[in-house]
Amino acid sequence: MADLQLQLDPSLGRRVALETALRDAIRSGRLQTDAPLPSSRMLAADLGVSRSTVVAAYGQLTAEGFLVALHGSATRVASIHVPEVAASQPHPFWHTPLYDFRPGEPATDAFPRRAWLGSVRRVLTEAPDEVFGYADPRGRVELRTSLAGHLGRTRGVMAHPDAVTVVSGFASALGFLADVFVRRSGRVAIEDPMLFLHRQILELAGLEVVPVPVDDAGIVVDALDGLDVDAVLVTPAHQHPLGTTLSADRRNRLVAWARSTDTWIIEDDYDGEFRYDRKPIGALQGLAPDRVVYAGTASKAISPGLRLGWLIVPDGLRRDLRRSIHIKAGASTIDQLALADFIESGALDRHLRTMRSTYRDRRAVVVDRLSDEVAWLEVIDHPAGLHITARILDPAIDEQALVANAAGCDVGIIGLAVCHADEAHPTHRGILIGFARPPQHRFAAAVDALIKVLVDNGPRGSREQIRT
Ligand SMILES: Cc1ncc(COP(=O)(O)O)c(C=O)c1O
C-alpha cells in the first residue's frame, strides 16, 4: 500500500501530526480494518519525514490499539468500532427567547463584577497554599462563619457555623436531603403547586412526593394531618410559584405539626431577601431551629452561575446527612472564600440594597401595565421576589396555548399548570412573569412585547365583564 493520502497539521510536531492524521483516517473509516499500511521507509519518503518518526508513530498507534503489527508482515489497521455520536439537543428550556420573562433568574446584567473581582483578588492574594488542595466537604469555615452571622442578621436564622454546610445551590441541597429520607419512610410532602424541578429531584432520588394544597395563606397545614411523611418542603417567604407569604398562624401550626409528628420542615428560602413593601419577613427556621432545615442560595441574591448555596441542619438530622455530604458535597474553595469576603466587606448588603430598588421599580412597571391593559389577568399582589404571579380570570383562555403563542412571539413566560403535581388538573390557573431577567437595555421593549402578546391573546373588556 504505497499510496496513502495524509494531511499533516503543520501546527503540530511531525510525529504528533502523523499520529493524529492516521487516527483520524482510521476513525473516519477512510482506512478500514485490515488495510495494510506502507512500510515505514516508504511512508517516510512520501511524507518527507524521518523514518524514525514513522516508526514511533506506528508504535504509538499500535500501543493504543489502532494498528496491529505482526512480525514479518505489514502493519495493518486493527478492527475498531467507532460508535456514532448522537447530536445532543439542548432541553427546550435552554432556548432563550428575546424577551425572556421566565422566572428563576436574577438580572445577570447587574452581577456585581467589580466587587466580586475585588473579593476574588483579595482571596488569591492572601489565601495560604492549602486553599488550593482538597477541602472539608462541609465547606470552608470562613464562609460558614460569615453565613451564620449574615443569615442571623438579615433572615433571623439561628445558626452556629458547625450547623452550616455549603452546597452547590438548593438543587444539590435537596439531593442530599433526599438521600436521607429515601432511607426512612421514603415519602416527602411538597406544596402543590411548586417548582417542578424540585419535585423531579425528589422523585429521581426514589422518593414518593405527596402534594399538599396551597391557598392565600401558604401551605394548608390541616391537609398534612395523617400523612405518613418524613418531611415537608415549603417556601414560606414567597411561595413558589403563587407568591404568597406563609401567614403567622400557619407558621406556628406547621411547626406544631412537625414537632408532634416528629417530621422535618425543609425551608427553601430562595429569594427571601427581596421584599418591597416592608422589611423581609424572617425565616421560619428562627421559630424552630430544632425542626427546620434551612436552605438558602446565592442564585437569586447574586448569581446562579456561582452554584453556591447553604444548608443549616438541626442537630437531630446532621448525623444522617453526614454520609451523603462527605461523599458528594463540595463547592469551589476559591468561590467560597470570595463569597465570605463579599459578605464581610459589606458588598453583599450593598448589592442587595441596589437590587431591591431595581427590582421594586421593574416590578411596579409590569404590575401597572398589567392592571391598566390586561383586564383578564389579576396580579396576586405580594410585593416580593423576582416574579409576578397573575391569575387568568377568563375561563375561555387556554393557559398552555397562551404560553405557546407568547413563545411564538419570542416572549418567554411560564404557566402555572406545569407547577402542579397533576398537570392535567391544575387547581390554579395563571402565568408567571420573571421581571428580573430581561436586560435593562431591553426592559422597556420586553414589557411592550409582553403586554402586546397578552392583549392579542385575550378578550377586551373590563374585569367585571370578563368575570361574568
Ligand atoms: C423555588 C426555588 N427554590 C430554589 C431555587 C434556587 O435553586 P438553586 O440554588 O439550585 O439555583 C429556585 C431557582 O429558580 C427556585 O425557583
Side-chain angles (χ1 to χ4, degrees):
M1 182 182 182
D3 210 9
L4 179 55
Q5 295 294 326
L6 291 174
Q7 289 290 338
L8 301 196
D9 181 344
S11 68
L12 301 173
R14 288 179 167 192
R15 183 164 72 86
V16 175
L18 177 56
E19 285 169 17
T20 306
L22 283 168
R23 239 185 248 113
D24 288 349
I26 296 170
R27 283 202 190 107
S28 70
R30 215 157 53 76
L31 278 177
Q32 295 187 344
T33 303
D34 267 350
L37 294 191
S39 71
S40 53
R41 189 190 318 270
M42 214 183 281
L43 188 59
D46 278 357
L47 296 175
V49 301
S50 73
R51 187 173 166 212
S52 61
T53 299
V54 179
V55 169
Y58 280 8
Q60 177 67 26
L61 294 187
T62 303
E64 289 177 12
F66 285 91
L67 300 178
V68 188
L70 291 176
H71 199 64
S73 66
T75 298
R76 291 176 182 273
V77 175
S79 160
I80 63 161
H81 170 68
V82 183
E84 283 210 359
V85 179
S88 105
Q89 294 295 332
H91 188 277
F93 188 80
W94 297 110
H95 166 76
T96 305
L98 183 60
Y99 305 117
D100 195 358
F101 287 97
R102 293 169 307 160
E105 204 162 277
T108 51
D109 58 341
F111 181 81
R113 289 176 189 250
R114 189 190 291 251
W116 189 261
L117 186 63
S119 291
V120 172
R121 183 174 289 126
R122 275 190 293 278
V123 168
L124 291 182
T125 310
E126 292 161 18
D129 292 348
E130 48 102 4
V131 158
F132 304 103
Y134 287 104
D136 182 342
R138 291 173 308 160
R140 288 291 300 196
V141 66
E142 293 91 332
L143 179 56
R144 291 192 277 119
T145 307
S146 296
L147 283 170
H150 171 76
L151 296 169
R153 184 165 51 79
T154 61
R155 304 292 301 124
V157 166
M158 289 174 62
H160 184 275
D162 280 353
V164 181
T165 298
V166 180
V167 290
S168 304
F170 179 74
S172 80
L174 197 55
F176 296 133
L177 292 166
D179 284 348
V180 172
F181 296 127
V182 83
R183 292 199 299 270
R184 297 189 177 185
S185 80
R187 287 158 56 88
V188 168
I190 56 165
E191 295 171 323
D192 186 25
M194 59 112 53
L195 184 68
F196 51 88
L197 175 72
H198 293 162
R199 190 176 75 233
Q200 288 169 347
I201 290 173
L202 295 172
E203 285 172 348
L204 202 62
L207 284 163
E208 185 186 337
V209 294
V210 183
V212 178
V214 177
D215 66 17
D216 287 347
I219 189 165
V220 179
V221 177
D222 288 348
L224 288 163
D225 280 344
L227 294 186
D228 174 24
V229 292
D230 288 315
V232 57
L233 170 58
V234 286
T235 43
H238 188 225
Q239 204 278 331
H240 189 90
L242 296 182
T244 47
T245 303
L246 188 63
S247 71
D249 173 55
R250 293 268 173 98
R251 282 171 190 247
N252 283 310
R253 285 172 44 208
L254 183 60
V255 167
W257 169 81
R259 288 209 170 112
S260 68
T261 55
D262 194 17
T263 309
W264 301 101
I265 301 169
I266 305 168
E267 176 174 25
D268 174 8
D269 196 31
Y270 64 109
D271 65 2
E273 298 90 347
F274 297 110
R275 178 90 201 193
Y276 310 117
D277 57 339
R278 49 171 291 168
K279 266 170 65 112
I281 293 179
L284 182 65
Q285 192 266 7
L287 203 59
D290 57 320
R291 272 291 128 196
V292 177
V293 184
Y294 176 88
T297 175
S299 291
K300 315 292 154 191
I302 315 175
S303 155
L306 294 174
R307 299 317 300 136
L308 282 175
W310 37 93
L311 263 181
I312 296 171
V313 184
D315 285 349
L317 198 59
R318 218 172 313 147
R319 260 194 63 179
D320 286 19
L321 250 188
R322 197 175 295 158
R323 197 162 134 227
S324 229
I325 297 288
H326 276 256
I327 296 171
K328 298 202 239 168
S332 153
T333 306
I334 312 299
D335 288 337
Q336 289 186 52
L337 291 177
L339 179 55
D341 181 276
F342 197 71
I343 294 170
E344 293 303 319
S345 66
L348 178 57
D349 285 342
R350 283 192 292 280
H351 179 63
L352 288 173
R353 258 198 307 279
T354 308
M355 294 319 295
R356 249 179 237 127
S357 146
T358 303
Y359 292 147
R360 181 187 292 117
D361 293 348
R362 283 183 171 212
R363 185 178 183 283
V365 168
V366 181
V367 170
D368 288 351
R369 294 280 304 266
L370 290 174
S371 310
D372 292 349
E373 298 174 54
V374 192
W376 52 271
L377 276 178
E378 180 179 62
V379 170
I380 301 181
D381 197 17
H382 290 278
L386 308 186
H387 72 265
I388 292 164
T389 312
R391 290 190 195 284
I392 297 175
L393 300 177
D394 185 343
I397 290 183
D398 177 341
E399 181 192 298
Q400 225 178 335
L402 172 66
V403 171
N405 290 345
C409 299
D410 238 347
V411 174
I413 50 174
I414 285 198
L416 278 177
V418 293
C419 303
H420 284 77
D422 183 357
E423 209 176 304
H425 302 99
T427 44
H428 300 266
R429 269 166 37 83
I431 54 168
L432 303 181
I433 301 169
F435 52 83
R437 204 189 279 243
Q440 192 60 45
H441 69 270
R442 200 185 292 138
F443 187 69
V447 175
D448 286 345
L450 170 73
I451 298 295
K452 178 168 180 352
V453 99
L454 294 175
V455 167
D456 289 351
N457 279 277
R460 317 267 154 165
S462 71
R463 259 193 189 108
E464 287 62 40
Q465 285 167 324
I466 288 164
R467 275 185 210 263
T468 51

